[in-house]
Amino acid sequence: MHESRGMTRRTVLCLMTMLLASLLLVFGCCRYYTQNSQVQDAKNLAQSALSSFTDYQDNREEAAFRQGAAAFHEFYRASRELEEMPTQMRQTCGRVHAYLLYQPERAREHMEPLMAGLAALAKNPASMDAYADLNLFLQEVHVPGTEG
């Protein structure tokens, strides 16, 4: 009789351990899927902004520039959720977004580094190459004596 109680305890402990391990595995898979989904969303938004800005450069239509700025805004919002994105990159993206929104005429004059940065972001939202390109864009559009 004592042996069957010991066996039951071991069986229950084993089942509980397996259940806990299964829950941890499911949680890990869900988290992995969510992170991958967020990264893919950010890549798609960066590509969308790049496509719109490319259209703007090709035909100089204001609507294409605005679509690019809106897509970049959505990228910026999505990127704030990415664990992979360094804080300095988030800050840089915030500053780029501000120029696109509040000083679009300056931004239009310096599209090449912005587009290079977007191309890098479309491949990897945490790209340090993108960080360098976006900082070059900020240096080119910055008016000394202003904040931005």
Side-chain angles (χ1 to χ4, degrees), residues 23-90:
L23 288 173
L24 289 173
L25 180 64
V26 168
F27 177 73
C29 288
C30 288
R31 183 176 171 156
Y32 176 78
Y33 174 76
T34 300
Q35 285 176 338
N36 276 349
S37 177
Q38 289 172 334
V39 168
Q40 192 58 47
D41 289 346
K43 287 178 180 181
N44 291 340
L45 290 166
Q47 183 60 51
S48 176
L50 178 60
S51 296
S52 294
F53 287 136
T54 300
D55 289 347
Y56 170 75
Q57 286 215 302
D58 290 346
N59 53 29
R60 297 292 182 199
E61 289 182 11
E62 180 67 20
F65 182 86
R66 288 183 183 170
Q67 286 174 341
F72 188 85
H73 171 74
E74 291 302 315
F75 166 81
Y76 173 59
R77 288 181 65 206
S79 70
R80 292 185 303 194
E81 303 296 320
L82 298 177
E83 293 176 8
E84 298 88 354
M85 181 158 296
T87 301
Q88 63 202 32
M89 180 63 122
R90 286 188 192 105

Side-chain angles (χ1 to χ4, degrees), residues 1-29:
M1 186 116 166
H2 292 287
E3 236 178 79
S4 67
R5 281 190 179 171
M7 189 69 149
T8 304
R9 286 182 188 160
R10 277 186 252 154
T11 304
V12 169
L13 270 169
C14 184
L15 287 174
M16 288 177 63
T17 302
M18 288 174 53
L19 178 63
L20 181 60
S22 298
L23 288 173
L24 289 173
L25 180 64
V26 168
F27 177 73
C29 288

